[in-house]
Amino acid sequence: MRKILTIVGILTTIYCPAQTEKAISDSAKFNQHVIKNTTSFIFDGQKPVGDGWASLEKQFAANQFVAWGEYHNSPLLSQLSCYALESASKYGFKTWCVETSPFVASELMRIAKTKNPSDSIVEISRDKGSYGTFPFFKTREDAQMIVAANKYNYTIWGIDQEYQMAFPYCLAKVYNAQPAKIKAQYKAVYDSLVARWWMPKVKLLDSLKNGIKQNNLRMVLDDIKISRTIYYEDDAQMRATLMKKNFYNYYDNSKSKNEKVFFKMGANHLAKGLNLMTHLYDIGNSAYELSQHNKTNFINVFFVNRYTTEKGKIIDDLENPDNEYPKEFLKLYDKEKWVVVDLRPLRIRYSNDKTLTEDTYQIIYKYDFVVVSPEVMK
């Protein structure tokens, strides 16, 4: 009995300090690992320079699918994407997947081959409001991307819905491609569609479709019909399903099942697991699972923008109680540099002790890199 008590006393002496030692909070763990896994690069519109950029470039060598989850309508990010397209092409990437419809993607490729793509893009969106005719492809900086894509022989895959602002453009393209006889026969139908372009009647779309023979243009009218339903019903599930359907249509008809694809889309669409906003399985998760099936790799990058300008006033997302981005990442902002955090080593066993915000836990497990931009968005 005395021997047993002695052993218990020794074990108690050994193990009690470990039990009473204060646990390291998630925020402390996060800060320790961020310091070790953060690099940066400088980019002023010319070639990006720095270890952070080298880290992003390496991903094109190691992965079949590389996904850049952007904040939209950034001139600087469009310029940076030109260098990404160049870098990716060196590692066999010839496909660029974007947040447009299939028809608009084909139009972007056509425009890229014209004498002056920048003027064409700007003209198409002139007087069309802040969204333009083709959202995310409306400025000279955006046009630089399609020029780069053409230069490096990319095929553009547009996997999204037809955006409402593009309805009149698409309808005009379909109608004007018809012989004079068909145009005369369907002029009243076309005029009625254009008169209510933002929500065209299905029976009129079907009527025009039945009168034309070009299969690609018939598909444009189908896309408008699907998209009007997505808008009218605010149906995120239908949109996510459409994105995956369009992607697999392209993928199944590609030359190789190991086709390398560079995605540049809104960050929420590219999450592993559930989309953070819609809580649906989106295209990012599909690409991730496809890479697992192919025994290749998928990497996704979450771009963060801290400062925006509204009515001449600079808005700091860090001070916003309804912040768009996790505060832990906003704090990494550097006005001179793009800050790159490799999240993969951060996936240690966090206890979810609430010392990190919930959205931070989500980002750590749904994305592989975070890039904090120095840009002040206008």
Side-chain angles (χ1 to χ4, degrees), residues 43 307 332-339 372-376:
F43 177 65
Y307 290 102
L332 302 175
Y333 173 85
D334 186 319
K335 67 179 182 180
E336 303 293 339
K337 300 174 182 177
W338 296 68
V339 178
V372 184
S373 168
E375 183 178 18
V376 179

Side-chain angles (χ1 to χ4, degrees), residues 103 107 162 166-179 182-183 186 190 193 204-205 207-224:
F103 176 69
E107 283 294 281
E162 191 58 78
F167 285 2
Y169 180 94
C170 295
L171 290 169
K173 285 287 182 180
V174 170
Y175 180 73
N176 291 329
Q178 303 313 309
I182 297 296
K183 288 174 73 173
Y186 285 90
Y190 173 70
L193 286 168
L204 294 176
L205 290 168
S207 176
L208 182 58
K209 178 183 173 182
N210 291 335
I212 66 177
K213 295 182 179 180
Q214 304 100 315
N215 189 52
N216 64 319
L217 298 182
R218 289 165 61 89
M219 289 173 62
V220 173
L221 298 175
D222 282 339
D223 284 344
I224 292 175

Side-chain angles (χ1 to χ4, degrees), residues 94-137:
K94 294 299 177 187
T95 301
W96 181 29
C97 190
V98 298
E99 204 169 334
T100 73
S101 70
F103 176 69
V104 168
S106 67
E107 283 294 281
L108 292 175
M109 292 180 66
R110 179 188 64 78
I111 293 167
K113 293 178 171 63
T114 61
K115 185 176 181 180
N116 198 326
S118 294
D119 285 350
S120 297
I121 288 292
V122 171
E123 183 59 35
I124 287 169
S125 287
R126 192 180 302 281
D127 303 324
K128 297 299 190 298
S130 59
Y131 290 103
T133 298
F134 306 151
F136 323 130
F137 290 92

Side-chain angles (χ1 to χ4, degrees), residues 9-156:
I10 293 169
L11 291 174
T12 302
T13 303
I14 293 171
Y15 289 106
C16 275
Q19 293 172 349
T20 59
E21 185 179 337
K22 187 177 179 181
I24 300 175
S25 70
D26 283 359
S27 59
K29 292 177 186 176
F30 176 82
N31 291 334
Q32 290 173 358
H33 285 272
V34 162
I35 292 171
K36 295 176 184 177
N37 295 286
T38 296
T39 52
S40 65
F41 65 92
I42 296 171
F43 177 65
D44 59 0
Q46 302 302 313
K47 187 172 178 61
V49 177
D51 290 341
W53 180 251
S55 180
L56 293 178
E57 279 192 304
K58 286 179 183 177
Q59 305 316 312
F60 294 117
N63 296 277
Q64 180 183 4
F65 303 127
V66 175
W68 275 23
E70 67 176 11
Y71 53 93
H72 288 312
N73 301 315
S74 162
L76 199 56
L77 195 48
S78 290
Q79 290 176 306
L80 186 65
S81 297
C82 294
Y83 289 96
L85 288 164
E86 178 184 2
S87 296
S89 71
K90 298 174 184 176
Y91 298 100
F93 283 75
K94 294 299 177 187
T95 301
W96 181 29
C97 190
V98 298
E99 204 169 334
T100 73
S101 70
F103 176 69
V104 168
S106 67
E107 283 294 281
L108 292 175
M109 292 180 66
R110 179 188 64 78
I111 293 167
K113 293 178 171 63
T114 61
K115 185 176 181 180
N116 198 326
S118 294
D119 285 350
S120 297
I121 288 292
V122 171
E123 183 59 35
I124 287 169
S125 287
R126 192 180 302 281
D127 303 324
K128 297 299 190 298
S130 59
Y131 290 103
T133 298
F134 306 151
F136 323 130
F137 290 92
K138 59 190 179 70
T139 67
R140 294 190 181 278
E141 290 82 3
D142 298 335
Q144 289 177 21
M145 292 189 293
I146 66 171
V147 170
N150 183 59
K151 178 179 179 180
Y152 299 111
N153 299 312
Y154 280 86
T155 299
I156 302 177

Side-chain angles (χ1 to χ4, degrees), residues 108-364:
L108 292 175
M109 292 180 66
R110 179 188 64 78
I111 293 167
K113 293 178 171 63
T114 61
K115 185 176 181 180
N116 198 326
S118 294
D119 285 350
S120 297
I121 288 292
V122 171
E123 183 59 35
I124 287 169
S125 287
R126 192 180 302 281
D127 303 324
K128 297 299 190 298
S130 59
Y131 290 103
T133 298
F134 306 151
F136 323 130
F137 290 92
K138 59 190 179 70
T139 67
R140 294 190 181 278
E141 290 82 3
D142 298 335
Q144 289 177 21
M145 292 189 293
I146 66 171
V147 170
N150 183 59
K151 178 179 179 180
Y152 299 111
N153 299 312
Y154 280 86
T155 299
I156 302 177
W157 291 3
I159 63 169
D160 203 359
Q161 64 186 6
E162 191 58 78
Y163 282 101
Q164 204 168 27
M165 294 302 295
F167 285 2
Y169 180 94
C170 295
L171 290 169
K173 285 287 182 180
V174 170
Y175 180 73
N176 291 329
Q178 303 313 309
K181 182 179 178 180
I182 297 296
K183 288 174 73 173
Q185 185 178 349
Y186 285 90
K187 186 176 188 307
V189 172
Y190 173 70
D191 289 344
S192 296
L193 286 168
V194 173
R196 199 170 180 270
W197 62 265
W198 60 93
M199 195 58 65
K201 290 185 178 181
V202 170
K203 66 179 183 180
L204 294 176
L205 290 168
D206 287 341
S207 176
L208 182 58
K209 178 183 173 182
N210 291 335
I212 66 177
K213 295 182 179 180
Q214 304 100 315
N215 189 52
N216 64 319
L217 298 182
R218 289 165 61 89
M219 289 173 62
V220 173
L221 298 175
D222 282 339
D223 284 344
I224 292 175
K225 189 161 64 172
I226 293 169
S227 298
R228 73 178 295 284
T229 302
I230 292 172
Y231 278 112
Y232 184 74
E233 298 182 5
D234 193 21
D235 195 332
Q237 179 67 71
M238 181 181 282
R239 186 183 178 197
T241 300
L242 179 64
M243 279 191 175
K244 288 180 274 190
K245 175 187 173 184
N246 285 335
F247 174 77
Y248 283 116
N249 282 342
Y250 282 117
Y251 182 79
D252 289 343
N253 287 292
S254 61
K255 294 179 181 178
S256 169
K257 297 311 173 190
N258 289 322
E259 183 81 21
K260 294 185 174 183
V261 183
F262 174 44
F263 295 80
K264 179 181 178 287
M265 305 174 67
N268 285 309
H269 294 296
L270 297 174
K272 296 175 181 176
L274 297 175
N275 180 313
L276 287 171
M277 289 186 66
T278 65
H279 307 293
L280 299 169
Y281 291 106
D282 215 320
I283 184 61
N285 189 68
S286 292
Y288 172 52
E289 292 193 342
L290 179 58
S291 73
Q292 292 177 313
H293 173 76
N294 292 344
K295 296 181 175 62
T296 55
N297 296 300
F298 168 93
I299 209 86
N300 58 358
V301 183
F302 187 88
F303 282 83
V304 170
N305 173 242
R306 176 170 170 176
Y307 290 102
T308 56
T309 304
E310 187 175 314
K311 296 180 180 178
K313 181 181 178 182
I314 294 179
I315 307 298
D316 184 355
D317 195 37
L318 183 61
E319 296 177 358
N320 185 353
D322 299 319
N323 53 298
E324 183 174 354
Y325 299 107
K327 293 183 182 293
E328 285 82 356
F329 296 116
L330 293 172
K331 291 175 184 176
L332 302 175
Y333 173 85
D334 186 319
K335 67 179 182 180
E336 303 293 339
K337 300 174 182 177
W338 296 68
V339 178
V340 180
V341 184
D342 187 345
L343 298 177
R344 295 168 297 177
L346 272 65
R347 292 173 190 153
I348 58 176
R349 293 184 178 179
Y350 287 106
S351 58
N352 207 347
D353 62 12
K354 305 304 180 184
T355 55
L356 291 177
T357 56
E358 182 59 33
D359 51 358
T360 302
Y361 292 112
Q362 293 280 351
I363 296 298
I364 290 171

